[in-house]
Amino acid sequence: MIRVLLADDQSLVRAGFKALLDAQPDIGVVGEAADGDEAVRMVGELRPDVVLMDIRMPLLDGLAATRRITDEPSLGDVKVVMLTTFELDEYVFEAIRSGASGFLVKDTEPDELLRAVRAVVDGDALLSPGVTRRLIAEFAARSKEPAAAGTLAGLTEREREVMALVGIGLSNEEIARRLVVSPLTAKTHVSRTMVKLNARDRAQLVVLAYESGLVRPGWLG
């Protein structure tokens, strides 16, 4: 059972998500929070698999709450998906840098929300359909100057190649086609790269790809 915590200051939004998620045989809502402080406290108590976190909430916003959660080593298995009204909300960029596994717009189709919850549990980054590459391009343009590439020293050439393809927004299936390997092999390379770099998930791998200089803005091919 995938355990989900809902964090949103609008009770109607929480009720809608809860009804959808609880209707699934493999997903259950274990708690609801109306502000960021409450969300952080409940994550510590309940240890959910996924937090659906609104960006704008009272007392403590979703961005600050996400930082607190992802900065706590004991909560390393908790995945945070940010919820926003706009696809390119300015806070989304900082949310991904802060450790969020991705984001969804609130009017996402029900099937896409369910797919998102299941995807982040499997370690995949989750970005709303149709905006992945656009978001990465914007993120890259806002990124700091590339850090020294020494952090990639432990990667094989193939793992660097796979990381670069993740960085430009390719899925495992697209990486497999690009490298002429099976999707399972592509997924294995991605997983090994995340382990070597101690990356929480695919979203953090994208951040590292840009910050190491492995990928630069405009390399969306």
Tab-separated table of all heavy atoms in Angstrom, residues 4-22 28-36 38-39 42 51-54 56-58 83 106 113:
chain	number	residue	atom	x	y	z
A	4	VAL	N	-0.067	8.029	1.496
A	4	VAL	CA	0.019	9.408	1.012
A	4	VAL	C	-0.448	10.392	2.085
A	4	VAL	O	-1.453	10.158	2.772
A	4	VAL	CB	-0.845	9.603	-0.257
A	4	VAL	CG1	-0.781	11.046	-0.737
A	4	VAL	CG2	-0.390	8.649	-1.364
A	5	LEU	N	0.300	11.493	2.215
A	5	LEU	CA	-0.114	12.602	3.072
A	5	LEU	C	-0.490	13.773	2.180
A	5	LEU	O	0.254	14.120	1.260
A	5	LEU	CB	1.036	13.016	4.007
A	5	LEU	CG	0.762	14.256	4.882
A	5	LEU	CD1	-0.252	13.925	5.967
A	5	LEU	CD2	2.060	14.770	5.496
A	6	LEU	N	-1.644	14.375	2.428
A	6	LEU	CA	-2.101	15.533	1.668
A	6	LEU	C	-1.827	16.800	2.457
A	6	LEU	O	-2.208	16.901	3.625
A	6	LEU	CB	-3.606	15.430	1.374
A	6	LEU	CG	-4.071	14.182	0.626
A	6	LEU	CD1	-5.594	14.171	0.522
A	6	LEU	CD2	-3.444	14.129	-0.766
A	7	ALA	N	-1.161	17.776	1.842
A	7	ALA	CA	-0.873	19.050	2.505
A	7	ALA	C	-1.365	20.187	1.620
A	7	ALA	O	-0.746	20.516	0.608
A	7	ALA	CB	0.616	19.187	2.780
A	8	ASP	N	-2.504	20.756	1.995
A	8	ASP	CA	-3.113	21.840	1.218
A	8	ASP	C	-4.045	22.598	2.151
A	8	ASP	O	-4.771	21.984	2.939
A	8	ASP	CB	-3.890	21.267	0.027
A	8	ASP	CG	-4.242	22.330	-1.011
A	8	ASP	OD1	-4.973	23.288	-0.657
A	8	ASP	OD2	-3.787	22.212	-2.154
A	9	ASP	N	-4.047	23.924	2.055
A	9	ASP	CA	-4.886	24.707	2.974
A	9	ASP	C	-6.346	24.768	2.525
A	9	ASP	O	-7.191	25.281	3.249
A	9	ASP	CB	-4.330	26.121	3.158
A	9	ASP	CG	-4.270	26.909	1.855
A	9	ASP	OD1	-4.187	26.282	0.786
A	9	ASP	OD2	-4.299	28.151	1.911
A	10	GLN	N	-6.639	24.211	1.347
A	10	GLN	CA	-8.026	24.188	0.872
A	10	GLN	C	-8.627	22.808	1.130
A	10	GLN	O	-8.229	21.818	0.521
A	10	GLN	CB	-8.088	24.513	-0.612
A	10	GLN	CG	-7.563	25.901	-0.963
A	10	GLN	CD	-7.658	26.190	-2.444
A	10	GLN	OE1	-8.657	25.862	-3.096
A	10	GLN	NE2	-6.632	26.805	-2.992
A	11	SER	N	-9.601	22.777	2.025
A	11	SER	CA	-10.194	21.492	2.411
A	11	SER	C	-10.881	20.803	1.231
A	11	SER	O	-10.908	19.572	1.151
A	11	SER	CB	-11.199	21.704	3.554
A	11	SER	OG	-12.213	22.616	3.183
A	12	LEU	N	-11.417	21.590	0.311
A	12	LEU	CA	-12.100	21.010	-0.847
A	12	LEU	C	-11.102	20.278	-1.754
A	12	LEU	O	-11.400	19.197	-2.282
A	12	LEU	CB	-12.822	22.101	-1.642
A	12	LEU	CG	-13.771	21.627	-2.750
A	12	LEU	CD1	-14.863	20.726	-2.170
A	12	LEU	CD2	-14.391	22.821	-3.461
A	13	VAL	N	-9.934	20.848	-1.909
A	13	VAL	CA	-8.888	20.206	-2.713
A	13	VAL	C	-8.466	18.894	-2.055
A	13	VAL	O	-8.360	17.852	-2.706
A	13	VAL	CB	-7.666	21.135	-2.877
A	13	VAL	CG1	-6.498	20.382	-3.526
A	13	VAL	CG2	-8.034	22.352	-3.720
A	14	ARG	N	-8.259	18.949	-0.744
A	14	ARG	CA	-7.859	17.728	-0.031
A	14	ARG	C	-8.931	16.648	-0.152
A	14	ARG	O	-8.628	15.472	-0.357
A	14	ARG	CB	-7.600	18.027	1.448
A	14	ARG	CG	-6.434	18.968	1.709
A	14	ARG	CD	-5.947	18.871	3.166
A	14	ARG	NE	-7.009	18.997	4.137
A	14	ARG	CZ	-7.448	20.141	4.643
A	14	ARG	NH1	-6.903	21.286	4.246
A	14	ARG	NH2	-8.415	20.166	5.547
A	15	ALA	N	-10.185	17.047	-0.036
A	15	ALA	CA	-11.281	16.085	-0.103
A	15	ALA	C	-11.336	15.412	-1.474
A	15	ALA	O	-11.558	14.197	-1.580
A	15	ALA	CB	-12.608	16.778	0.194
A	16	GLY	N	-11.115	16.188	-2.523
A	16	GLY	CA	-11.141	15.623	-3.866
A	16	GLY	C	-10.015	14.637	-4.097
A	16	GLY	O	-10.225	13.541	-4.640
A	17	PHE	N	-8.814	15.020	-3.665
A	17	PHE	CA	-7.675	14.117	-3.804
A	17	PHE	C	-7.861	12.859	-2.961
A	17	PHE	O	-7.551	11.752	-3.401
A	17	PHE	CB	-6.381	14.826	-3.383
A	17	PHE	CG	-5.847	15.790	-4.408
A	17	PHE	CD1	-4.868	16.717	-4.071
A	17	PHE	CD2	-6.305	15.777	-5.711
A	17	PHE	CE1	-4.375	17.601	-5.012
A	17	PHE	CE2	-5.822	16.656	-6.665
A	17	PHE	CZ	-4.846	17.576	-6.312
A	18	LYS	N	-8.364	13.034	-1.762
A	18	LYS	CA	-8.545	11.895	-0.861
A	18	LYS	C	-9.527	10.882	-1.446
A	18	LYS	O	-9.297	9.668	-1.417
A	18	LYS	CB	-9.032	12.376	0.504
A	18	LYS	CG	-9.289	11.241	1.505
A	18	LYS	CD	-9.677	11.791	2.867
A	18	LYS	CE	-10.133	10.693	3.806
A	18	LYS	NZ	-9.139	9.620	3.989
A	19	ALA	N	-10.633	11.375	-1.991
A	19	ALA	CA	-11.635	10.483	-2.572
A	19	ALA	C	-11.044	9.675	-3.726
A	19	ALA	O	-11.284	8.467	-3.854
A	19	ALA	CB	-12.840	11.293	-3.050
A	20	LEU	N	-10.260	10.346	-4.563
A	20	LEU	CA	-9.646	9.672	-5.708
A	20	LEU	C	-8.614	8.639	-5.256
A	20	LEU	O	-8.636	7.487	-5.703
A	20	LEU	CB	-8.978	10.708	-6.614
A	20	LEU	CG	-8.155	10.158	-7.786
A	20	LEU	CD1	-9.053	9.413	-8.763
A	20	LEU	CD2	-7.419	11.291	-8.488
A	21	LEU	N	-7.736	9.040	-4.340
A	21	LEU	CA	-6.651	8.156	-3.923
A	21	LEU	C	-7.153	6.964	-3.114
A	21	LEU	O	-6.699	5.829	-3.306
A	21	LEU	CB	-5.622	8.948	-3.113
A	21	LEU	CG	-4.887	10.043	-3.888
A	21	LEU	CD1	-4.077	10.922	-2.937
A	21	LEU	CD2	-3.981	9.444	-4.947
A	22	ASP	N	-8.087	7.214	-2.210
A	22	ASP	CA	-8.597	6.130	-1.364
A	22	ASP	C	-9.398	5.096	-2.144
A	22	ASP	O	-9.617	3.978	-1.664
A	22	ASP	CB	-9.459	6.695	-0.228
A	22	ASP	CG	-8.630	7.228	0.927
A	22	ASP	OD1	-7.428	6.912	0.993
A	22	ASP	OD2	-9.181	7.966	1.774
A	28	GLY	N	-3.475	4.722	-0.224
A	28	GLY	CA	-4.320	5.157	0.872
A	28	GLY	C	-3.823	6.464	1.459
A	28	GLY	O	-2.619	6.686	1.588
A	29	VAL	N	-4.736	7.374	1.788
A	29	VAL	CA	-4.385	8.647	2.428
A	29	VAL	C	-4.292	8.417	3.933
A	29	VAL	O	-5.247	7.990	4.565
A	29	VAL	CB	-5.428	9.739	2.112
A	29	VAL	CG1	-5.121	11.018	2.906
A	29	VAL	CG2	-5.453	10.034	0.615
A	30	VAL	N	-3.122	8.694	4.503
A	30	VAL	CA	-2.900	8.432	5.932
A	30	VAL	C	-3.020	9.689	6.783
A	30	VAL	O	-3.040	9.609	8.011
A	30	VAL	CB	-1.521	7.785	6.168
A	30	VAL	CG1	-1.466	6.420	5.509
A	30	VAL	CG2	-0.393	8.677	5.664
A	31	GLY	N	-3.085	10.863	6.144
A	31	GLY	CA	-3.213	12.087	6.918
A	31	GLY	C	-3.425	13.298	6.039
A	31	GLY	O	-3.173	13.258	4.830
A	32	GLU	N	-3.917	14.389	6.655
A	32	GLU	CA	-4.151	15.640	5.942
A	32	GLU	C	-3.609	16.788	6.781
A	32	GLU	O	-3.809	16.845	7.995
A	32	GLU	CB	-5.643	15.857	5.693
A	32	GLU	CG	-6.304	14.793	4.830
A	32	GLU	CD	-7.788	15.076	4.617
A	32	GLU	OE1	-8.134	16.258	4.391
A	32	GLU	OE2	-8.590	14.132	4.705
A	33	ALA	N	-2.917	17.730	6.120
A	33	ALA	CA	-2.370	18.901	6.795
A	33	ALA	C	-2.855	20.158	6.087
A	33	ALA	O	-2.954	20.193	4.862
A	33	ALA	CB	-0.849	18.847	6.782
A	34	ALA	N	-3.155	21.196	6.873
A	34	ALA	CA	-3.678	22.436	6.306
A	34	ALA	C	-2.618	23.531	6.204
A	34	ALA	O	-2.891	24.611	5.688
A	34	ALA	CB	-4.861	22.936	7.143
A	35	ASP	N	-1.420	23.275	6.702
A	35	ASP	CA	-0.329	24.241	6.582
A	35	ASP	C	1.001	23.506	6.612
A	35	ASP	O	1.069	22.311	6.918
A	35	ASP	CB	-0.402	25.298	7.689
A	35	ASP	CG	-0.292	24.701	9.080
A	35	ASP	OD1	0.801	24.188	9.419
A	35	ASP	OD2	-1.287	24.749	9.835
A	36	GLY	N	2.072	24.218	6.302
A	36	GLY	CA	3.374	23.591	6.212
A	36	GLY	C	3.900	23.034	7.519
A	36	GLY	O	4.510	21.960	7.547
A	38	GLU	N	2.188	21.864	10.019
A	38	GLU	CA	1.459	20.636	10.303
A	38	GLU	C	1.951	19.508	9.402
A	38	GLU	O	2.068	18.355	9.835
A	38	GLU	CB	-0.043	20.864	10.111
A	38	GLU	CG	-0.902	19.707	10.584
A	38	GLU	CD	-2.394	19.992	10.459
A	38	GLU	OE1	-2.774	20.862	9.638
A	38	GLU	OE2	-3.177	19.341	11.176
A	39	ALA	N	2.262	19.839	8.154
A	39	ALA	CA	2.743	18.833	7.211
A	39	ALA	C	4.066	18.231	7.686
A	39	ALA	O	4.241	17.007	7.678
A	39	ALA	CB	2.918	19.449	5.824
A	42	MET	N	3.443	15.981	10.707
A	42	MET	CA	2.762	14.739	10.376
A	42	MET	C	3.657	13.790	9.583
A	42	MET	O	3.572	12.570	9.728
A	42	MET	CB	1.478	15.040	9.604
A	42	MET	CG	0.428	15.743	10.453
A	42	MET	SD	-1.148	16.016	9.577
A	42	MET	CE	-1.794	14.344	9.564
A	51	VAL	N	4.210	12.733	-0.209
A	51	VAL	CA	3.494	13.917	0.271
A	51	VAL	C	3.085	14.732	-0.941
A	51	VAL	O	3.929	15.093	-1.767
A	51	VAL	CB	4.378	14.793	1.185
A	51	VAL	CG1	3.570	15.994	1.695
A	51	VAL	CG2	4.932	13.991	2.347
A	52	LEU	N	1.796	15.005	-1.077
A	52	LEU	CA	1.322	15.933	-2.100
A	52	LEU	C	1.248	17.292	-1.416
A	52	LEU	O	0.380	17.525	-0.581
A	52	LEU	CB	-0.043	15.497	-2.638
A	52	LEU	CG	-0.054	14.166	-3.411
A	52	LEU	CD1	-1.462	13.860	-3.924
A	52	LEU	CD2	0.929	14.205	-4.578
A	53	MET	N	2.173	18.181	-1.745
A	53	MET	CA	2.406	19.421	-1.000
A	53	MET	C	2.051	20.662	-1.815
A	53	MET	O	2.658	20.930	-2.855
A	53	MET	CB	3.879	19.479	-0.597
A	53	MET	CG	4.291	20.717	0.174
A	53	MET	SD	4.033	20.522	1.944
A	53	MET	CE	5.397	19.410	2.364
A	54	ASP	N	1.091	21.420	-1.340
A	54	ASP	CA	0.757	22.689	-1.981
A	54	ASP	C	1.910	23.665	-1.757
A	54	ASP	O	2.550	23.657	-0.696
A	54	ASP	CB	-0.529	23.239	-1.373
A	54	ASP	CG	-1.046	24.461	-2.115
A	54	ASP	OD1	-0.681	24.647	-3.299
A	54	ASP	OD2	-1.809	25.241	-1.520
A	56	ARG	N	1.699	27.148	-1.830
A	56	ARG	CA	1.293	28.315	-1.042
A	56	ARG	C	0.360	27.888	0.090
A	56	ARG	O	-0.791	27.535	-0.137
A	56	ARG	CB	0.608	29.334	-1.946
A	56	ARG	CG	1.539	29.914	-3.008
A	56	ARG	CD	0.809	30.945	-3.865
A	56	ARG	NE	1.700	31.572	-4.813
A	56	ARG	CZ	1.989	31.101	-6.011
A	56	ARG	NH1	1.442	29.967	-6.394
A	56	ARG	NH2	2.807	31.726	-6.823
A	57	MET	N	0.909	27.934	1.310
A	57	MET	CA	0.126	27.608	2.500
A	57	MET	C	0.501	28.563	3.630
A	57	MET	O	1.589	29.141	3.622
A	57	MET	CB	0.392	26.157	2.948
A	57	MET	CG	-0.141	25.099	2.015
A	57	MET	SD	0.041	23.429	2.707
A	57	MET	CE	1.826	23.249	2.691
A	58	PRO	N	-0.382	28.728	4.611
A	58	PRO	CA	-0.088	29.629	5.733
A	58	PRO	C	0.933	29.042	6.706
A	58	PRO	O	1.239	27.852	6.645
A	58	PRO	CB	-1.457	29.797	6.406
A	58	PRO	CG	-2.190	28.537	6.069
A	58	PRO	CD	-1.745	28.181	4.680
A	83	LEU	N	2.363	20.713	-5.472
A	83	LEU	CA	1.128	21.021	-6.184
A	83	LEU	C	1.082	22.527	-6.440
A	83	LEU	O	1.322	23.324	-5.539
A	83	LEU	CB	-0.090	20.620	-5.352
A	83	LEU	CG	-0.215	19.132	-5.027
A	83	LEU	CD1	-1.346	18.906	-4.023
A	83	LEU	CD2	-0.452	18.322	-6.290
A	106	LYS	N	-2.680	21.549	-10.262
A	106	LYS	CA	-3.827	21.052	-9.505
A	106	LYS	C	-4.954	20.531	-10.383
A	106	LYS	O	-5.787	19.747	-9.921
A	106	LYS	CB	-4.349	22.151	-8.571
A	106	LYS	CG	-3.452	22.390	-7.378
A	106	LYS	CD	-4.102	23.350	-6.397
A	106	LYS	CE	-3.264	23.508	-5.159
A	106	LYS	NZ	-3.881	24.432	-4.183
A	113	LEU	N	-2.638	11.943	-11.956
A	113	LEU	CA	-2.305	12.048	-10.531
A	113	LEU	C	-1.953	10.683	-9.959
A	113	LEU	O	-0.965	10.532	-9.227
A	113	LEU	CB	-3.474	12.656	-9.757
A	113	LEU	CG	-3.308	12.707	-8.236
A	113	LEU	CD1	-2.158	13.630	-7.849
A	113	LEU	CD2	-4.597	13.154	-7.559
